[in-house]
Amino acid sequence: MSTDVEHQKRALRAELRERRQLLSDAQRETAASAIAQRLDDLVETLGARSISCFLSSTTEPGTREFVTGAVRRGIRVLLPITRADGLLDWAVATEDDDVVEGLFGLPEPTGEVLGPIAVNDVDLMIIPAAAVDRGGMRMGWGRGYFDKTIGSMERCPPVYAVIYDSEVLDLLPREVHDQPVTGVVTPTQTLLLSHPRH
């Protein structure tokens, strides 16, 4: 049975999706370059040598420039591959990665597939989101992949969501399975919102 929270989330997701679709190519490119710089700084600040990230789709804040640069600098980058059972497999990003359309039409790598526990070794997780509130609560797009992954990790590293500035909200509707993030990276700021869990 649908709850009020689910309805609120659905309406909010639709609004956020529409807002993203209205951005021009130039706005997207500018945002992607700014995000790449902020993510580079975050990786350096944390001293991360192994990270997980995602390949941005057309409407998501761009992460591909960052991923390519990180791989070139010798950082191990795991990219998610969606599975039908709701879990994520992972593949190590390479410089000449081919990208295919995975489940739900999301861009995914074609490298050797590692199982869900591969992500347990990363120093930093960079994940997508629809919005994040100032308390660190993240709202995804409703499939629960990252909530399940974060919730199942024994030792969760810092988790940062990549979003646009207008998607940092005061308060989000939340459900029991929703997982908080450590912070957010937007084109103009990197915000620490909650302390990492150990």
Side-chain angles (χ1 to χ4, degrees), residues 165-184:
D165 289 285
S166 61
E167 295 161 354
V168 179
L169 305 177
D170 287 335
L171 195 62
L172 282 170
R174 68 172 291 191
E175 293 171 279
V176 181
H177 59 261
D178 290 335
Q179 296 288 331
V181 294
T182 313
V184 296

Side-chain angles (χ1 to χ4, degrees), residues 116-184:
I117 63 167
V119 78
N120 285 339
D121 299 331
V122 301
D123 306 318
L124 166 67
M125 292 181 75
I126 298 163
I127 67 173
V132 176
D133 71 21
R134 296 195 178 275
M137 193 45 66
R138 168 189 175 269
M139 182 176 76
W141 295 105
R143 298 190 192 103
Y145 280 97
F146 287 96
D147 285 325
K148 276 194 198 91
T149 300
I150 295 165
S152 71
M153 292 176 81
E154 280 175 33
R155 185 192 63 80
C156 195
V159 180
Y160 279 77
V162 177
I163 53 177
Y164 288 110
D165 289 285
S166 61
E167 295 161 354
V168 179
L169 305 177
D170 287 335
L171 195 62
L172 282 170
R174 68 172 291 191
E175 293 171 279
V176 181
H177 59 261
D178 290 335
Q179 296 288 331
V181 294
T182 313
V184 296

Side-chain angles (χ1 to χ4, degrees), residues 17 54-55 59 78 92 98 105 114 119 130 140 145 167 174 197:
R17 193 174 280 122
F54 63 100
L55 291 172
T59 56
L78 291 182
V92 178
D98 282 335
L114 308 173
V119 78
Y145 280 97
E167 295 161 354
R174 68 172 291 191
R197 288 157 296 179

